Every structure is written in structure tokens, then in C-alpha cells.
């Protein structure tokens, strides 16, 4: 049986009334439809009064009030996107959810990528509400024929329900082919790894319903107790950085494994490089 669409919705929150009833005094019809079109049709799907959000093809019940809905980050993203398009920058996209903003798009080259991220970041920071919200801004721009943006898996996750599986997939895709770098024999995070940590932090924020273990591993060179200490210090350093960037502390668990869990038992330089790694693992609370 064909069902006539009764709603035209986006990621914005909408106030809905039950089928066959007139709209409540405070309810507003969906954009593009009159009130009669929303509630009167050949057939419609009955819904309880309340606030709803369309995400990943599903209507989700929300307790957000109409006043707070006007400040929904998804609406800010739409406003910023419109401004970029009006300025002739039509290849950049802005994705926002919770306290995370991702600048995405496909740049023709690395220089355009850098300029695009700077432009997108400035647009977010210049928005009257997004700029005051202290959002974590992530680079999700990919280069045509080149590397996928560090924040691309995060942008994909922002459009899904955050399940344990989708969160773990986002962590794995973000770390695929990438390593968090430290100073030699210490726990000082290299500045070149901060964009990667920001992307991982953004995933952690969207996945805060779960505990996230930061597992640091070393290669087999050096004394066992030394490797264990260094790995714990590095895991702690990552956790401390993410907390300083707004990730809830109770979401993170830092564990140093030293050389106890190698993924390559060889003794070559390549084997050592594979064993020196940091893993983000979803742990059910």
C-alpha cells in the first residue's frame, strides 16, 4: 500500500501532530507544506505529539524544545553551507553534530585542501552561534586522486546512529595507515599528529555512550618494564590531550601494553614499526 508522505523533514527538529488532528497552536508545519497538507492527505502515518529528528532515514524522538531546536548545530551547518555557496565555494561541506564540526569536500590538490579547511574553519568560527559554542573543528577534506581526509570517517559517523559497531569502524578507518607519533623514547605527542588526535576525539564525543580504551603498544626492543612505562605514559598523554579538547574524561580509559601484544613477531624494522601503535577500542560500559 502506498503511503503519501506527510512530512518534509531534514536534520532539523520538527513539532508533529497526530494524523487527522489539527495542528496545535504552538506547532509549525514542515517547511514547504501547509498545515493542512501536513495533517490531511489520502493516507498518513500516525505519530504522537512531540519533537522528532530525522537521522539516517529514521525519525527519532527528541526532548528538544522548539526554542533549543533553533540552535541545533545541524541548522548552523546549513546556514554556514549557504554562506559558502553564496561566496562561490561550492565544493566545501560542513557537518555538525553535538560539539563537533567537520569541514568536508573533495579538493583538487593539497594547496586547495589547506585553503579550503582554513576557509571552512573561519566560516564556523565567524558564525554567531557556532563560533561561541567552542566546537572541535576537524579536517575531513579529501584530495582528488589522493588521501582520504582524516575526518572523513567521522563525517560519515555523524550521519549515523552511534552504535558500538559504527564507532569502532570509524576508529579503525581513521587510524588505517596512520600512526600517532611521539618523541623518541618519551611521551611527547608530535604536533603533526594533533589533527589525527582531533579526529579521534571527535569520534569519541559522538560515541560517548561507550567507554573507549586508548591502548598504547611498543616494539620488542628495550627492557620490558621500560616499554610498559613508556606505553602507559603515552596512553595517558593522549587521554590528557583529548580531555583538554573537550572529550568527557569518564569516556576514556588509558592502558599501556608495552611489548606484550605484538602484531608482528618479526625483528625487522618494518615489524617494529607495525608493533609501535596506538589502538582505540570500544568497550561496553
Amino acid at each position: 500500500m502506498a503511503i503519501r508522505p506527510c512530512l518534509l523533514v531534514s536534520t532539523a527538529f520538527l513539532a508533529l501532530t497526530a494524523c487527522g488532528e489539527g495542528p496545535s497552536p504552538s506547532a509549525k508545519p514542515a517547511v514547504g507544506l501547509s498545515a493542512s497538507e501536513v495533517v490531511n492527505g489520502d493516507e498518513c502515518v500516525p505519530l504522537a505529539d512531540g519533537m522528532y529528528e530525522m537521522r539516517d532515514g529514521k525519525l527519532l524522538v527528541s526532548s528538544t524544545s522548539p526554542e533549543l531546536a533553533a540552535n541545533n548545530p545541524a541548522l548552523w551547518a546549513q546556514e554556514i553551507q549557504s554562506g559558502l555557496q553564496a561566496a562561490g565555494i561550492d565544493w566545501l561541506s560542513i557537518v555538525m553534530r553535538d560539539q563537533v564540526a567537520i569541514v568536508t569536500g573533495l579538493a583538487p590538490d593539497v594547496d586547495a585542501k589547506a585553503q579550503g579547511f582554513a576557509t571552512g574553519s573561519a566560516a564556523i568560527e565567524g558564525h554567531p552561534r557556532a563560533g561561541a559554542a567552542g566546537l572541535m573543528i576537524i579536517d575531513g577534506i579529501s584530495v582528488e586522486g589522493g588521501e582520504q581526509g582524516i575526518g572523513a570517517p567521522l563525517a560519515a559517523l555523524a550521519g549515523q546512529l552511534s552504535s558500538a559497531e559504527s564507532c569502532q569502524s570509524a576508529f579503525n578507518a581513521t587510524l588505517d595507515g596512520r600512526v600517532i607519533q611521539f618523541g623518541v623514547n618519551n611521551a611527547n605527542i608530535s604536533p603533526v599528529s594533533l589533527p589525527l588526535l582531533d579526529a579521534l576525539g571527535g569520534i569519541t564525543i559522538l560515541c560517548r555512550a561507550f567507554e573507549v580504551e586508548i591502548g598504547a603498544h611498543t616494539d620488542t626492543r628495550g627492557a620490558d618494564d621500560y616499554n610498559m612505562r613508556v606505553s602507559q605514559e603515552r596512553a595517558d598523554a593522549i587521554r590528557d590531550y583529548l580531555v583538554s579538547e573537550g572529550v568527557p574524561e569518564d569516556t576514556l580509559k588509558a592502558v599501556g601494553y608495552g611489548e606484550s601484544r605484538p602484531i608482528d613477531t618479526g625483528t625487522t624494522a618494518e615489524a617494529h614499526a607495525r608493533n609501535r601503535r596506538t589502538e582505540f577500542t570500544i568497550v561496553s560500559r
Side-chain angles (χ1 to χ4, degrees), residues 192-273:
V192 301
S193 291
L194 296 185
L196 174 57
L197 283 181
D198 289 344
L200 295 167
I203 296 171
T204 306
I205 289 176
L206 299 191
C207 299
R208 60 182 176 271
F210 309 98
E211 184 176 50
V212 177
E213 180 188 282
I214 305 167
H217 303 260
T218 68
D219 58 41
T220 56
R221 294 174 296 180
D224 292 357
D225 58 346
Y226 173 81
N227 287 335
M228 186 65 72
R229 178 174 60 80
V230 169
S231 65
Q232 184 63 56
E233 290 174 351
R234 289 177 173 178
D236 290 340
I238 293 172
R239 180 197 56 203
D240 293 346
Y241 173 80
L242 294 179
V243 170
S244 74
E245 293 298 300
V247 177
E249 185 172 4
D250 62 356
T251 303
L252 299 169
K253 177 183 180 181
V255 182
Y257 288 101
E259 60 183 81
S260 65
R261 296 188 179 184
I263 56 176
D264 191 326
T265 57
T267 57
T268 64
E270 292 77 12
H272 291 317

Side-chain angles (χ1 to χ4, degrees), residues 12-212:
F13 292 102
L14 300 176
L16 306 177
T17 57
C19 293
E21 300 177 356
S24 66
S26 61
K28 295 182 180 180
V31 177
L33 297 179
S34 67
S36 61
E37 289 175 319
V38 172
V39 299
N40 296 319
D42 297 335
E43 297 182 37
C44 67
V45 179
L47 294 169
D49 292 352
M51 297 299 302
Y52 295 81
E53 179 187 5
M54 176 64 81
R55 185 182 298 170
D56 198 26
K58 299 177 182 178
L59 277 177
L60 307 178
V61 180
S62 172
S63 59
T64 305
S65 67
E67 291 77 15
L68 290 178
N71 291 323
N72 183 3
L75 296 181
W76 306 345
Q78 292 175 8
E79 293 170 357
I80 295 168
Q81 184 89 43
S82 297
L84 291 171
Q85 291 177 346
I89 308 172
D90 57 2
W91 63 273
L92 279 181
S93 297
I94 307 296
V95 178
M96 289 187 184
R97 181 173 158 193
D98 296 339
Q99 289 297 112
V100 179
I102 311 105
V103 183
T104 69
L106 184 62
D109 53 53
V110 293
D111 290 337
K113 170 184 167 71
Q115 183 59 46
F117 181 61
T119 300
S121 298
I124 294 168
E125 292 169 348
H127 186 273
R129 290 179 295 279
L135 302 175
M136 180 183 289
I137 303 176
I138 311 298
D139 185 353
I141 301 173
S142 302
V143 176
E144 187 173 352
E147 186 180 36
Q148 183 188 55
I150 290 176
L154 170 60
L157 178 66
Q160 307 174 37
L161 295 176
S162 298
S163 65
E165 293 75 15
S166 64
C167 290
Q168 189 62 64
S169 294
F171 280 130
N172 294 345
T174 302
L175 284 168
D176 186 24
R178 300 184 178 100
V179 177
I180 300 170
Q181 299 183 33
F182 298 88
V184 179
N185 295 326
N186 62 52
N188 298 326
I189 301 171
S190 171
V192 301
S193 291
L194 296 185
L196 174 57
L197 283 181
D198 289 344
L200 295 167
I203 296 171
T204 306
I205 289 176
L206 299 191
C207 299
R208 60 182 176 271
F210 309 98
E211 184 176 50
V212 177

